[in-house]
Amino acid sequence: MENNTGRNPYEDIINLPHHVSSTRPRMPMADRAAQFSSFRALSGYGDAVKETARLTGQRIELDESTKAVLDEKLRLLAEVIEERPEAEITYFLPDKKKAGGEYVTAAGRVKKLDAAAQELVMVNGQTIPIADIVEAESRLFQTLLGT
């Protein structure tokens, strides 16, 4: 940077040693950076971009034959519910922040099929809305349905 005379205005101080206080301790770099953090012009922008970029899946609609097989599997689970049958239940979990969701699988013992609440309850306390279930697997089905 030069002024009108063609000289650098900081020429007289540019090569001086950096001042170090003898009475005050040097501030850590993290604290120095924190002084300016409140001036971030786009605070929260990065989080908003990440949330927008996060993908969610759409709920699939089951055909009638798949629904019939699933209903039969749930009926079989209900028949032996006292035995706490082991099962893997795949269901649609709606996203809490945006449209869509994801398919997840819960594995464990089934405690009850609550017809009034339309929920399947696992022994660990997890509840799964029956309307969101798309697949159920168990050794019980292999024996009784031959699948």
Side-chain angles (χ1 to χ4, degrees), residues 81-116:
I81 204 73
E82 300 83 27
E83 299 172 21
R84 305 285 193 254
E86 191 82 30
E88 287 185 359
I89 308 296
T90 302
Y91 63 100
F92 184 77
L93 180 63
D95 194 277
K96 290 179 175 30
K97 295 184 178 182
K98 60 199 250 186
E102 65 180 326
Y103 283 92
V104 294
T105 301
R109 296 195 173 280
V110 180
K111 182 177 181 180
K112 70 178 181 176
L113 277 162
D114 188 339

Side-chain angles (χ1 to χ4, degrees), residues 40 42-54 97-98:
R40 285 186 13 198
L42 299 173
S43 64
Y45 179 72
D47 293 337
V49 169
K50 284 180 190 172
E51 177 59 28
T52 302
R54 187 172 55 84
K97 295 184 178 182
K98 60 199 250 186

